[in-house]
Structures are given as structure tokens and as C-alpha cells.
């Protein structure tokens, strides 16, 4: 492990390299413990660069074996080398020269899963962000682009497949049972997009003909025997390729596109040029083992990585500060794809739920940073929900500001102007300024200012004048390093809904710019006046969540119920029900704390049940309505001094009121459960998934009524697909832990899926997230279970990650044991896999908003980590930022 050097990288220090890399030739002689890597790199000195300057190459835990300049061995006085750096002096002044670097690396010993490593007998690489420097000494930064030729030599019997980026050049046999393959990638790329895969895998093959008639071979490579489970991923890939042609005019550019599924991977997937490497969780699916959510994730991630071919690969990032240029934009693209494949409104609701659950807390805590940060200590810690999801929201707002056509024009300009470039956020924004004819300088603050803006709104209707006034005020909270903020340009989609459900069309508006249905809030305080509004309208604001803000708009529950019934924007209807729910949940949490009885506004319950019971609405939407704000949502709204036990108890009590105390509840849920059964074969379609989701949420409410446990146990036995099975098992485990029905179901599930790691992960997660004081002991016991594999990131995330991120009561024990347990685990994981350790540690990012007793325990556990001398840069960076006042 590389321990922390404390070095901080600043955007302001960016300058181009002194040397230009012209081409890269790599030869790998694969061996599990001693792989020889020969890199031949052609450079020339950049014009105007001082002739005396040395060439400095990055390394990470490397051992240099040979070093030549134009095929002649370098003398010791011509270079300096350490595991982290190779400095070469006395280089030619003007003409190109060739550096040959030979390193010997040990893939088997690489537990960080960065660089070249082995997983289940397969050689595989992960180079983003700085993994290539663990393979050879190299100018390992994203603005160094070159075409690559790759030769792989390996034992043929154990490695029949030898894969890399680009097009296949040829291959053949060597002596002693070895063979080779050569690949050439003509598209200049940065080293982080390099990939190599070798081993013995099963192949699923298909093809795609591009818009201009080129045939592309498609291959998905999986462990032998798992081929049938790659069919859905292949289908998703072909749909993605077609969609990108139709929607963004982007065609695929190589002769072959490959996806390799591996079981040990630090993240979801990686967009290496022509050779995507995936966590097998996001490739493998069949009805028996995958839930509807798994299918949706596979579709989205296959699309995301494929879309990177243009947004990320053909146009890459100049430096890592520009990460959102490829990630935010590509998330926006995959969101749009899923919206087109499924229900747009339901997709938007799911996105906003995710944004609020993950990004809003990040933006409100010690790890807050701008979408485009200006400093970092460990770049791996900046693959955050702010860069990805808020980055996507910023792109979405550009589309909202410009409208669909001008946004498309801006994207076309971006592709045309920057193809082959390592670009910046400024380059990107400029394309939309030019195409849209709009100054986006104030808007660009979304990239630079961290923190979720708060918009406070109040309105009044003047019956005599027939005017409606809307007063808005925005504040952006202080965040680490940014105490003072400038006002943002916030696009707010709105509607004034009249009594009969129609939308008012005012005759005039003053106070600011309005384009179509979007109101532009640009000042700190702004008042819009709408004239010619015949009767008092109900304001629906931030429809479709046009801006990622917190909205403080106190509306009478009758108004919210009106929106919930009449808004033509389904998202806004869901949002209105959420706004009806939250005050009830928050009040209940306070009441629990004070030992008072819990109460609930009938208008809310009525609106909720009415939507759930309305067969004219799509089932997936109704399931989202029934999901209610989560415990984390309630905690966030409460703002500080949170008691997770009180929040949990409050939410449970409100659910019970809806399920059994409200007159209509039990009947509605019973009807949904009885009538939504799908007969016929399983289809992972959005429509069927929606029905399953609604039926399963009905099951979950019904578990509060008499006989709930038996109903859940019966549903578990009757389930003929993984979605229904997991839902029933979750109801049993979370609502009835320790009961024999639950133990039986968990046992049966384990027995049936013991040999399927991805399903076993679910078994671990369900148990890790059982609420209450027994959780920690359960998690500790599960760590001793023979099925727990401490070296597999998916398994670690499914147990320890699930406990820390998704078990608010179990993890946030008042005695602090949860935090101490996590600290111990982080210190155990860190030496082996720093990225995984750092990621799981971010589960404590909201520790400051806990009530004082828990907050003190949390601080002490973090301080314990901080005191440890041998920390990776990854963990040290996170822990220090979390503790900084
Ligand atoms: N670009 C990769 C993420 C790499 C993370 C490196 N720590 C996957 C993606 O966003 O598509
Ligand atoms: Zn990405």
C-alpha cells in the first residue's frame, strides 16, 4: 500500500506536459506473479520547451528492469528511479526519440484491484484514474493521448483469450504452449482507458450494423456456464448503440466492442476503449436470480459505459478536475436513455430520490465539494455523487435553459469541435453559449459553488387585481473552503393550476425572465407578478425537479393535495405527496422523542391512498408514492441533532396508520395484492416490473395487519422470480426478525442459492439491514459465516457497506459500537484495498447532524482512524476532511 504523502493537487497549477507522446507500443508476457511489461514510447519535446528539462514518468509500486533510449541502455547517471517516479535526462533536443521501459509486475499480489490484477484466474486491468502507472512508468495523466499497439503473450491452455483495446491485428502460436495476440487502437487515448483481459471465458457473440452500414462484432465475455445470463446485457447494449445514433447522432467507431464481466471489481464498470470491464453484478441476469432493479441497473450501466465512447473517450478530460465533463454528461445521457426505454416520470422520481438520498447529504456535510473541484489529494475520492449525479443535473439544467433543439445543437458543436481533444468544462459550456446564444457565466456557478441552494418561496393572490405574485429568495449554504456564495441562475419549471385542474395562462409577467414553463431565478431575491389570472391558482414549483435545490414553500395541505390530483406532471404529483408526508413524519419523530402519541394528517393519508388505488395511474408510479420518504430523507429534513431510533419508530408508526388505522388502507392494499399477480412467463419489462413493485409494496403494508407474517411467508414460498422472493424475504427479515418463519425462509434461500455469489450478496444485505439493536451482533456473526469472503468487494459492500450505509438504527447505536466496529473494519480493509475502505468510510459523512451523544462517539471513532500512522492516501484524505471543523 502507498501511504499518504500529503500532496495536494491544484487546478491552478495545470500546465501541458513538456514532452508530447506520439505512440505507445506495449508487450505483455503474462505470468501470474512475474509479468514482464515492455513499453516502447515515442516522444518529442514540445515546441518552446527548455532543452535541458528531463522527462518525468509516473510509477506506483513499480520495479524497473530495463531502460533504453533509442534502443541503447541508459547509463545510471542518465536517470533516477524510485517505485513512484522515473526521471530521464540528456534527451534529444528536437527529433522524436524512443524510450523503452521494462517492468516486472505481480498481478496475483495486486489486492488493490488497480493496474493489472488477477480475479478467478482471469488477468484484468483497471486504470482509471491512476492505475496505469502500476503497470509501467508513464506520463499517466488524461491529457496525454496516443494510439496504442498491444501485444499479449501468454500460456495458451489457461489463457485462450487475449484481449485489449481497438481492433484485432492478428495472433499465432509460440513454443512451449504459449501464444500471442496483437491489437491496435487507432483512436488516440489517455492511459486510463487502456485495458487488457486474458484468460478462459465463455463468449456470447452478436453484431450491430451502424447507421452508416458498418458491421460491428459484439462480444460479452463471462465465466463458462454463465453465458445465458448475459442475454439481457447484450440486448441493452444493442438498444444503447441504436439510441445514441438516434438521439445524439453518435456511431460506434471500431470493428469490435467487448464487455468482460469479472467478479472482483472496485466499482460498477469501466469504459475502456472497445473493451469495457464490468462488475459481473451489472452483466449477469435471469429471472431466477435477478430482481427488476438488477435488470434496470444493468440496462443503465451498459448504456453508461457505452455512451462514454463519445463522452469520455473520443472527447476526454484535460485533467481530473474536469471529471464531471465526462461523468456528469454521461450520467445525463444514461438517464435520458432509461427515461426513453421506461417511464420518464418514474425514472425521474427514482433519480431525484437517489440524488436526495446520496448527493444532498454529501453537499451538506464535511465532504461537500463543487461539481468541478479545484483541489484534490486523492482523485479516487472524487468519483462522487456530486461529480456524477449533480453533474448530470447541471447538464439537465443546460438542456432546460436552452430547450431540446438548441441543446442538441450545442452537443453537436461539442462533438464536432472537440473530437479527439482532452477538454475542459469551459470548452463544454462555451458550445452551449454559442449554440444557444445565451450567456451562461452566472449559470456556470453550478460547477464552482458547492452546497445545495435553498429557495424560499411565498405567494399571494390578489382577487381584485387578478394578479398572482411569487416571491423567491435563494441562499447557498457555506461549504468547506467556500464560506460566501454568489447567487445562482436557477431554472424553475412551474405551473399555476386552477380549480378545475387546468393551467392558468397569465396575460403578462413582470419581475424576471420566463421562457416557456420555466422561470429564471437569478437574483438573491426576486418577485414575479403574473397578471390576468382569473382565480386563485395553486402553484406547482420545480416541476420535474428542474433544479437540484431544497425548496421551502409552505403550502396548505389542500393545495398539495390539489397538485397530487391534478398536475399534468407526474413527478410534481409525487413531489406533492412527498411534501404532504414529510411534515407528518418529522412531527412524529419529534413526538416519539418526547413520548407523545403519534398522529397523522388525514389529507395526506387520503391523497396517498387515492393515488395508490387509482388504476389509471401506472403501477410503478403508485409504488413510488407508497415508498414514502426514507429514514434518511426524514433525517435530512430535520436538519440536525438527529436520533435515528426516533425517526425509525416514527416512520413505522405512520406506515401502521396508513396500513391499518386509516379506514381505506387495508382494503386498498389487499385489492392491490390480490389483483396485480402476473400470470405467464417472466418479462423484465418496465410494465411488469411496475406491477411487481406495486404488489410488493402492498405486501409490505399488509405485513402490519393481523396475519402479516404468514402472508409474507406464503408470498416467499409462492415467488417464482427473484424480485418477489427478495421482497417477501425482506418483509420477513425486517419486520419479523428472529421468528421461525423468517429463519426458515433465510435458510431455504441460502440453500438454494449457495453457489451463486451475486444472490448470496443479497442474502447478506437483507440481514445486514435488519433494523434495531441486534444488527451489530448479526453482522459480526455473518462475518464469521463460511460464505463471507473478505477479499471480494461485492461481498464486503453487501455486508459491511450495507450495514453502515443502509441500517440507520443498527449502525447508529447510541453506545457508539457501530462506529467503532466500522473503524476497525476500515483499518482492516485499507492495507488490502484502499479505494474500497475509503468508499465505505464515507457512510459516516453525516455524522455531524447526529444528536450529541452519537456524534461524540462518531468523532472518537474517526479520530481513532486518523491516529493510525499507516493509512492510505484514500482513507487519510476522507477521514481528515470529515474531521476538519
Ligand atoms: N469511469 C469509471 C469509474 C472509474 C473510477 C475510478 N476510481 C466508471 C464510470 O463512471 O463509468
Ligand atoms: Zn462514467
Amino acid at each position: 500500500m502507498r501511504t499518504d504523502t500529503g500532496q495536494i493537487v491544484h487546478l491552478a497549477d495545470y500546465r501541458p506536459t513538456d514532452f508530447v507522446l506520439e505512440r505507445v507500443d506495449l508487450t505483455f508476457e503474462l505470468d501470474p506473479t512475474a509479468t514482464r511489461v515492455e513499453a516502447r514510447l515515442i516522444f518529442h519535446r514540445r515546441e518552446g520547451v527548455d532543452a535541458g528539462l528531463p522527462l518525468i514518468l509516473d510509477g506506483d509500486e513499480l520495479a524497473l528492469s530495463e531502460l533504453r533510449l533509442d534502443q541503447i541502455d541508459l547509463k545510471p547517471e542518465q536517470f533516477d528511479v524510485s517505485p513512484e517516479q522515473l526521471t530521464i535526462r540528456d534527451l534529444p533536443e528536437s527529433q522524436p526519440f524512443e524510450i523503452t521501459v521494462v517492468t516486472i509486475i505481480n498481478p496475483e499480489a495486486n489486492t488493490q484491484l488497480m493496474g493489472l490484477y488477477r480475479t478467478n484466474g482471469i488477468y484484468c486491468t483497471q486504470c482509471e484514474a491512476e492505475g496505469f502507472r502500476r503497470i509501467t512508468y508513464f506520463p499517466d495523466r488524461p491529457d496525454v493521448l496516443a494510439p496504442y499497439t498491444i501485444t499479449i503473450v501468454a500460456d495458451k491452455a489457461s489463457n485462450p483469450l487475449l484481449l485489449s483495446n481497438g481492433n484485432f491485428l492478428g495472433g499465432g502460436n509460440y513454443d512451449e504452449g504459449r501464444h500471442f495476440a496483437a491489437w491496435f487502437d487507432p483512436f488516440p487515448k489517455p492511459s486510463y482507458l487502456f485495458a487488457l483481459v486474458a484468460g478462459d471465458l465463455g463468449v456470447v457473440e452478436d453484431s450491430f450494423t451502424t447507421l452508416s452500414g458498418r458491421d460491428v462484432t459484439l462480444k460479452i465475455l463471462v465465466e463458462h456456464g454463465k453465458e445465458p445470463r448475459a442475454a439481457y446485457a447484450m440486448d441493452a447494449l444493442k438498444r444503447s448503440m441504436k439510441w445514441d445514433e438516434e438521439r445524439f447522432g453518435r456511431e460506434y467507431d471500431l470493428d469490435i466492442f467487448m464487455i468482460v464481466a469479472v467478479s472482483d471489481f472496485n466499482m460498477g464498470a469501466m469504459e475502456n476503449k472497445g473493451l469495457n470491464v464490468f462488475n459481473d453484478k451489472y452483466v449477469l441476469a435471469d429471472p431466477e436470480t435477478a430482481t427488476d432493479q438488477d435488470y434496470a441497473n444493468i440496462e443503465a450501466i451498459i448504456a453508461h459505459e457505452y455512451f462514454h465512447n463519445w463522452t469520455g473517450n473520443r472527447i476526454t478530460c484535460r485533467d481530473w478536475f474536469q471529471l464531471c465533463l465526462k461523468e456528469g454528461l454521461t450520467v445525463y445521457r444514461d438517464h435520458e436513455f432509461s427515461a426513453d426505454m421506461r417511464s420518464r416520470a418514474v425514472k425521474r422520481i427514482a433519480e431525484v430520490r437517489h440524488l436526495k438520498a446520496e448527493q444532498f447529504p454529501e453537499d451538506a456535510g464535511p465532504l461537500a465539494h463543487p461539481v468541478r473541484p479545484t483541489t484534490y489529494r486523492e482523485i479516487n475520492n472524487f468519483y462522487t455523487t456530486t461529480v456524477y449525479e449533480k453533474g448530470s443535473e447541471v447538464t439537465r439544467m443546460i438542456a432546460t435553459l436552452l430547450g431540446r433543439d438548441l441543446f442538441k445543437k450545442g452537443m453537436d458543436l461539442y462533438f464536432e469541435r472537440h473530437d479527439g481533444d482532452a477538454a475542459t468544462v469551459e470548452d463544454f459550456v462555451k458550445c452551449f453559449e454559442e449554440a444557444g446564444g445565451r450567456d451562461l457565466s452566472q449559470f456556470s456557478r453550478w460547477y464552482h459553488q458547492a452546497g445545495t441552494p435553498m429557495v424560499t418561496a411565498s405567494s399571494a393572490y390578489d382577487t381584485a387585481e387578478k394578479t398572482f405574485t411569487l416571491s423567491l429568495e435563494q441562499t447557498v449554504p457555506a461549504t468547506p473552503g467556500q464560506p460566501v456564495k454568489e447567487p445562482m441562475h436557477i431554472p424553475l419549471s412551474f405551473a399555476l393550476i386552477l380549480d378545475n385542474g387546468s393551467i392558468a395562462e397569465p396575460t403578462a409577467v413582470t419581475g424576471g425572465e420566463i421562457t416557456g414553463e420555466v422561470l429564471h431565478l437569478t437574483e438573491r431575491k426576486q418577485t414575479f407578478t403574473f397578471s390576468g389570472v382569473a382565480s386563485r391558482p395553486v402553484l406547482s414549483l420545480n416541476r420535474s425537479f428542474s433544479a437540484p435545490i431544497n425548496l421551502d414553500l409552505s403550502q396548505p395541505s389542500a393545495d398539495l393535495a390539489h397538485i397530487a390530483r391534478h398536475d399534468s406532471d407526474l413527478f410534481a404529483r409525487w413531489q406533492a405527496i412527498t411534501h404532504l408526508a414529510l411534515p407528518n413524519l418529522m412531527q412524529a419523530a419529534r413526538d416519539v422523542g418526547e413520548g407523545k402519541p403519534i398522529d397523522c394528517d388525514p389529507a395526506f393519508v387520503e391523497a396517498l391512498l387515492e393515488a395508490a388505488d387509482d388504476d389509471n395511474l401506472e403501477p410503478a408510479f403508485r409504488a413510488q408514492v407508497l415508498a414514502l420518504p426514507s429514514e434518511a430523507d426524514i433525517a435530512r429534513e430535520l436538519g440536525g441533532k438527529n436520533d435515528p431510533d426516533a425517526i425509525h419508530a416514527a416512520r413505522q408508526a405512520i406506515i401502521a396508520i396508513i396500513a391499518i388505522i386509516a379506514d381505506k388502507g387495508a382494503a386498498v392494499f389487499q385489492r392491490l395484492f390480490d389483483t396485480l399477480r402476473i400470470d405467464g412467463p417472466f418479462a423484465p419489462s418496465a410494465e411488469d416490473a411496475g406491477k411487481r413493485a406495486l404488489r410488493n409494496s402492498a405486501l409490505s403494508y399488509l405485513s402490519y395487519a393481523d396475519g402479516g407474517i404468514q402472508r409474507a411467508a406464503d408470498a416467499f414460498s409462492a415467488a417464482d422470480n427473484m424480485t418477489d422472493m427478495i421482497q417477501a424475504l425482506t418483509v420477513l427479515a425486517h419486520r419479523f426478525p428472529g421468528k421461525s418463519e423468517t429463519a426458515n425462509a433465510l435458510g431455504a434461500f441460502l440453500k438454494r442459492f449457495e453457489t451463486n455469489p451475486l444472490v448470496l450478496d443479497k442474502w447478506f444485505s437483507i440481514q445486514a439491514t435488519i433494523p434495531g439493536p441486534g444488527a451489530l451482533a448479526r453482522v459480526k456473526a455473518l462475518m464469521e459465516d463460511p460464505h463471507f469472503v473478505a477479499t471480494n468487494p461485492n461481498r464486503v459492500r453487501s455486508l459491511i457497506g450495507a450495514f453502515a450505509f443502509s441500517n440507520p438504527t443498527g449502525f447508529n447505536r447510541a453506545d457508539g459500537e457501530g462506529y467503532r466496529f466500522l473503524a476497525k473494519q476500515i483499518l482492516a480493509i485499507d492495507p488490502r484495498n484502499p479505494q474500497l475502505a475509503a468508499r465505505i468510510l464515507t457512510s459516516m459523512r453525516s455524522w455531524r447532524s447526529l444528536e450529541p451523544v452519537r456524534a461524540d462517539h462518531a468523532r472518537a471513532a474517526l479520530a481513532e482512524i486518523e491516529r493510525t500512522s499507516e493509512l492510505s492516501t484514500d482513507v487519510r484524505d476522507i477521514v481528515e476532511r470529515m474531521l476538519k471543523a
Side-chain angles (χ1 to χ4, degrees):
M1 177 178 77
R2 194 163 43 118
T3 43
D4 184 51
T5 57
Q7 267 177 13
I8 294 181
V9 188
H10 298 270
L11 171 61
D13 292 344
Y14 174 83
R15 59 181 191 88
T17 55
D18 295 336
F19 294 86
V20 178
L21 181 62
E22 295 184 6
R23 47 170 301 166
V24 177
D25 227 297
L26 300 173
T27 303
F28 288 81
E29 290 172 44
L30 294 177
D31 179 275
T33 56
T35 289
R36 181 180 186 277
V37 184
E38 179 171 315
R40 292 168 63 170
L41 313 173
I42 313 251
F43 288 102
H44 68 259
R45 198 180 289 273
R46 196 182 293 278
E47 224 180 282
V49 167
D50 186 345
L53 287 177
L55 172 67
I56 301 173
L57 303 178
D58 306 301
D60 182 5
E61 296 189 313
L62 283 181
L64 180 69
S65 166
E66 300 162 41
L67 181 61
R68 292 185 283 278
L69 169 61
D70 290 330
Q71 294 306 320
I72 298 170
D73 283 343
L74 279 180
K75 299 193 192 76
E77 63 272 20
Q78 288 178 288
F79 69 94
D80 290 320
V81 70
S82 75
E84 277 77 46
Q85 204 166 66
L86 173 60
T87 306
I88 307 172
R89 289 179 289 273
D90 305 333
L91 290 163
E93 230 170 85
S94 51
Q95 77 280 24
F97 56 88
E98 183 189 74
I99 299 286
T100 305
V101 181
V102 177
T103 49
I104 308 289
I105 54 178
N106 183 349
E108 201 74 71
N110 185 351
T111 59
Q112 286 188 30
L113 314 184
M114 281 295 274
L116 177 67
Y117 65 95
R118 293 252 288 172
T119 153
N120 284 343
I122 309 294
Y123 291 93
C124 122
T125 54
Q126 171 56 37
C127 292
E128 187 176 2
E130 298 179 333
F132 195 76
R133 62 184 65 183
R134 297 171 56 77
I135 295 173
T136 187
Y137 290 100
F138 199 81
D140 191 14
R141 41 187 276 178
D143 62 343
V144 175
L145 278 65
Y148 282 55
T149 308
I150 308 295
T151 308
I152 310 168
V153 186
D155 174 62
K156 188 170 179 174
S158 47
N159 305 285
L161 286 171
L162 304 174
L163 313 175
S164 193
N165 319 89
N167 295 322
F168 182 61
L169 283 183
N173 291 325
Y174 278 155
D175 49 8
E176 295 175 350
R178 291 171 81 74
H179 71 150
F180 78 96
W183 295 81
F184 175 61
D185 181 2
F187 295 96
K189 66 163 175 293
S191 49
Y192 82 84
L193 290 172
F194 166 79
L196 176 156
V197 171
D200 189 1
L201 290 162
V203 185
V204 178
E205 193 168 331
D206 208 322
S207 68
F208 181 84
T209 307
T210 67
L211 203 60
S212 64
R214 291 185 36 258
D215 284 327
V216 181
T217 301
L218 308 178
K219 289 186 185 182
I220 299 187
L221 300 110
V222 296
E223 277 173 23
H224 286 292
K226 295 185 175 168
E227 293 87 343
R229 289 166 65 197
Y232 184 77
M234 184 62 93
D235 177 58
L237 173 61
K238 289 192 286 184
R239 285 185 282 125
S240 308
M241 295 178 86
K242 190 157 187 294
W243 185 88
D244 213 14
E245 292 182 341
E246 288 169 356
R247 176 73 187 270
F248 282 93
R250 296 299 107 199
E251 260 188 50
Y252 188 62
D253 47 13
L254 291 166
D255 301 340
I256 182 165
F257 184 81
M258 294 178 282
I259 291 172
V260 181
V262 299
S263 47
D264 293 286
F265 206 60
N266 273 348
M267 60 215 98
M270 178 63 211
E271 70 264 25
N272 318 297
K273 181 82 188 187
L275 179 57
N276 288 186
V277 177
F278 269 62
N279 187 325
D280 59 2
K281 181 178 161 71
Y282 298 119
V283 174
L284 303 174
D286 61 22
E288 200 199 345
T289 60
T291 61
D292 289 317
Q293 189 59 53
D294 291 327
Y295 279 101
N297 290 344
I298 291 171
E299 181 179 78
I301 297 179
I302 292 272
H304 179 97
E305 306 310 331
Y306 174 73
F307 297 156
H308 266 315
N309 192 53
W310 273 96
T311 50
N313 301 2
R314 288 285 288 256
I315 307 179
T316 193
C317 300
R318 188 193 72 173
D319 52 67
W320 291 122
F321 297 102
Q322 321 295 331
L323 190 55
C324 70
L325 179 68
K326 74 177 178 82
E327 295 305 349
L329 174 56
T330 306
V331 170
Y332 171 71
R333 275 152 53 70
D334 85 55
H335 283 177
E336 283 297 293
F337 169 73
S338 296
D340 283 348
M341 296 294 126
R342 291 161 181 260
S343 155
R344 181 162 285 270
V346 173
K347 173 67 182 152
R348 190 64 186 140
I349 293 168
E351 282 160 22
V352 171
R353 255 182 199 281
H354 178 70
L355 185 79
K356 289 188 164 191
E358 303 296 330
Q359 200 278 326
F360 278 28
E362 179 167 279
D363 232 356
L367 299 182
H369 56 275
V371 172
R372 212 278 295 276
T374 53
T375 61
Y376 63 77
R377 183 157 166 191
E378 172 51 63
I379 187 55
N380 282 320
N381 289 339
F382 281 82
Y383 288 76
T384 58
T385 171
T386 296
V387 167
Y388 277 65
E389 274 77 24
K390 191 174 180 182
S392 164
E393 293 301 316
V394 175
T395 311
R396 176 175 302 278
M397 284 189 284
I398 297 180
T400 302
L401 288 179
L402 264 58
R404 198 181 165 109
D405 293 347
L406 290 181
F407 178 74
K408 169 88 172 44
K409 217 173 129 196
M411 283 301 303
D412 288 346
L413 180 60
Y414 176 64
F415 289 127
E416 184 195 315
R417 184 179 286 172
H418 294 290
D419 185 13
D421 281 358
T424 61
V425 164
E426 283 76 9
D427 293 330
F428 180 68
V429 172
K430 199 160 188 296
C431 292
F432 295 100
E433 290 195 314
E434 286 183 28
R438 240 201 123 94
D439 177 3
L440 294 175
S441 45
Q442 184 187 7
F443 177 80
S444 293
R445 287 178 189 152
W446 280 103
Y447 287 105
H448 309 310
Q449 294 194 148
T452 307
M454 166 64 89
V455 175
T456 310
S458 59
S459 66
Y461 180 69
D462 185 324
T463 322
E465 296 291 324
K466 305 256 175 279
T467 54
F468 178 79
T469 40
L470 173 60
S471 302
L472 299 167
E473 183 171 354
Q474 57 162 309
T475 48
V476 186
T479 48
Q482 294 189 331
V484 183
K485 304 286 166 70
E486 297 297 321
M488 311 275 250
H489 182 171
I490 302 178
L492 292 170
S493 168
F494 77 102
L496 303 180
I497 305 174
L498 299 172
D499 264 355
N500 61 3
S502 69
I503 292 182
E505 286 175 19
T507 47
V509 189
T510 58
E513 186 188 354
I514 294 203
T515 49
E517 293 161 1
V518 178
L519 184 154
H520 298 248
L521 171 62
T522 53
E523 316 279 326
R524 272 188 217 284
K525 282 187 182 183
Q526 217 167 332
T527 298
F528 290 83
T529 305
F530 303 81
S531 321
V533 183
S535 59
R536 178 186 169 275
V538 170
L539 170 67
S540 179
L541 195 57
N542 208 19
R543 295 165 96 216
S544 302
F545 214 63
S546 59
I549 55 157
N550 279 308
L551 182 60
D552 179 5
L553 163 66
S554 22
Q555 278 180 301
S557 33
D559 281 10
L560 289 167
H562 192 67
I563 299 172
R565 281 190 189 104
H566 297 294
D567 202 312
S568 54
D569 174 9
L570 261 191
F571 174 87
R573 294 173 77 160
W574 170 81
Q575 184 166 255
I577 296 176
T578 303
H579 287 158
L580 275 170
L582 274 169
N584 287 288
L585 292 158
M586 288 157 68
Q587 188 53 45
R590 288 184 208 106
D591 289 346
V592 167
E594 293 164 19
K596 291 189 192 154
I598 287 167
D599 200 11
C600 193
D601 172 10
F604 151 61
V605 181
E606 204 185 308
L608 180 97
L609 290 174
E610 192 180 311
D613 205 25
D614 183 350
D615 288 339
N616 294 318
L617 294 169
E618 47 183 320
F621 170 78
R622 292 147 71 193
Q624 287 287 359
V625 166
L626 286 179
L628 293 190
S630 68
E631 288 169 36
D633 289 329
I634 303 164
R636 197 186 55 248
E637 292 294 323
L638 285 168
K641 302 211 173 18
N642 287 319
D643 173 353
D645 290 332
I647 293 173
H648 176 76
R651 189 169 179 276
Q652 292 297 306
I654 297 278
I655 293 176
I657 291 177
I658 298 166
I660 48 177
I661 300 169
D663 292 343
K664 223 175 137 195
V668 168
F669 298 122
Q670 192 63 54
R671 182 184 80 83
L672 294 176
F673 188 74
D674 292 341
T675 56
L676 282 163
R677 241 200 115 69
I678 301 171
D679 295 318
F682 178 93
S685 65
E687 199 189 328
D688 281 7
K691 287 187 190 155
R692 280 188 285 273
L694 183 55
R695 184 166 188 266
N696 282 321
S697 50
L699 173 68
S700 148
Y701 278 91
L702 286 171
S703 75
Y704 287 76
D706 286 345
I709 185 166
Q710 196 49 50
R711 204 183 261 111
D714 291 346
F716 179 78
S717 310
D720 59 3
N721 62 76
M722 186 48 79
T723 303
D724 291 346
M725 193 174 276
I726 282 292
Q727 189 60 33
L729 189 58
T730 305
V731 169
L732 283 170
H734 288 203
R735 299 262 310 115
F736 311 104
K739 291 279 190 286
S740 61
E741 288 87 342
T742 302
N744 291 343
L746 282 167
F749 190 89
L750 174 65
K751 195 160 167 245
R752 176 161 170 195
F753 297 108
E754 202 166 19
T755 56
N756 185 321
L758 296 176
V759 184
L760 267 190
D761 287 341
K762 301 181 195 299
W763 183 81
F764 276 99
S765 287
I766 286 180
Q767 297 180 78
T769 50
I770 297 175
L776 179 60
R778 202 173 289 118
V779 170
K780 285 181 177 168
L782 284 166
M783 285 185 74
E784 301 303 318
D785 187 284
H787 300 95
F788 182 71
V789 187
T791 53
N792 177 250
N794 284 354
R795 188 59 46 83
V796 173
R797 280 186 285 256
S798 74
L799 182 57
I800 300 166
F803 173 62
F805 279 104
S806 312
N807 192 338
T809 51
F811 179 56
N812 297 291
R813 290 162 63 105
D815 64 6
E817 281 298 332
Y819 311 134
R820 287 189 281 281
F821 165 79
L822 188 74
K824 199 173 145 210
Q825 298 313 316
I826 296 302
L827 293 177
I829 300 167
D830 192 33
R832 197 169 59 231
N833 190 334
Q835 267 184 61
L836 181 63
R839 179 54 63 114
I840 293 180
L841 181 56
T842 63
S843 58
M844 289 181 72
R845 66 190 167 203
S846 298
W847 71 271
R848 282 179 200 277
S849 56
L850 294 161
E851 53 80 24
V853 173
R854 286 176 173 85
D856 277 349
H857 285 304
R859 180 190 292 110
L862 289 169
E864 180 70 36
I865 298 178
E866 194 190 26
R867 266 197 301 280
T868 310
S869 52
E870 292 281 293
L871 284 184
S872 66
T873 315
D874 309 58
V875 168
R876 180 154 309 280
D877 171 47
I878 296 285
V879 76
E880 287 191 358
R881 279 195 280 145
M882 285 210 288
L883 282 170
K884 211 161 160 185

